[in-house]
Structure formats: structure tokens, C-alpha cells
Amino acid sequence: MSTNQEVKRRAPRIGLRAQMRYQVRGSPSECDNVISHNISAYGVAFNTNKFLAPQTSLMLEIDILARVLHPIGRVAWCQPLPHSDRNRLGVEFLEIDPLEKNYLEDYIKMQTGRF
């Protein structure tokens, strides 16, 4: 990641390999199961077999410990992974329940030691 991207971060981002599901909002397709790569209070990154164009709206389910978060997000970027048919997506959260966001922020603080 470039230094410029680091400056743009609004909140700490931690590596997190958690089960999650996503579905293109408004699409009748089934949910795709993936593993998160990293997460912050404002977004999540994960790998998928699909290319999703930036600005695509997604419904997410992210399993963190004993809780499932249900944010709505939009694809901020999609990059092909080298030597693979897979892509890494960065998804910005647009809508997240305030209690879920507090839970996520507390989890990240606990993982980073920033209380």
C-alpha cells in the first residue's frame, strides 16, 4: 500500500480473516461466501472470484466473534490478484447500525491495544 493511501485512512485498519457474505444490492443472486482480508470502522477488504465494478452497492454480513454485522457498502476499488483469477475488493461502508459500528470500533481497539 502506498503512503498516500495510508494518509487517506480515516481509522485504524486491522488484518482480519473472518467469514463473511456479500450480495449485490438489488440482485436476486445468492450470497457469495468469502473471507475478509482486513477491516476498519469504515470498510472491509476481501478476495473474490468475481470482478465488481467500483460504485457497486453491496449488502454484507461479517462474522466477528459471536456477532454478525450487516453493513451496506459500495465497492471503492477492485484489483486483480497476480497469478490468479481472483480479485481483491475494497468496500466502503455507507450504512451501518450505530451499535454494530460501536462493536466494530471496540473490537479494533481491543486488537490494536488502543483503548
Side-chain angles (χ1 to χ4, degrees):
M1 179 179 339
S2 73
T3 306
N4 193 28
Q5 286 175 313
E6 286 291 339
V7 172
K8 290 182 183 179
R9 298 268 186 240
R10 292 187 279 176
R13 181 171 293 265
I14 61 168
L16 177 69
R17 293 191 50 79
Q19 292 284 332
M20 61 177 286
R21 287 158 297 289
Y22 73 90
Q23 181 179 17
V24 174
R25 196 170 188 187
S27 170
S29 65
E30 292 186 22
C31 291
D32 287 326
N33 294 305
V34 295
I35 303 290
S36 65
H37 180 70
N38 61 50
I39 195 165
S40 77
Y42 295 97
V44 65
F46 59 91
N47 298 342
T48 181
N49 292 329
K50 297 180 180 174
F51 174 84
L52 295 172
Q55 305 302 318
T56 301
S57 183
L58 302 176
M59 297 181 297
L60 305 165
E61 291 181 0
I62 306 167
D63 297 336
I64 299 180
L65 296 178
R67 194 157 180 183
V68 179
L69 309 182
H70 297 90
I72 303 293
R74 72 164 180 86
V75 176
W77 51 266
C78 183
Q79 298 175 335
L81 293 171
H83 314 293
S84 170
D85 292 334
R86 297 174 56 81
N87 296 284
R88 177 158 298 152
L89 296 178
V91 177
E92 176 187 13
F93 299 147
L94 298 177
E95 300 173 29
I96 185 169
D97 179 276
L99 294 176
E100 290 182 356
K101 185 170 183 181
N102 286 341
Y103 178 85
L104 179 56
E105 288 173 332
D106 288 346
Y107 178 81
I108 292 168
K109 286 177 187 174
M110 191 171 57
Q111 296 301 310
T112 60
R114 299 179 185 175
F115 296 102

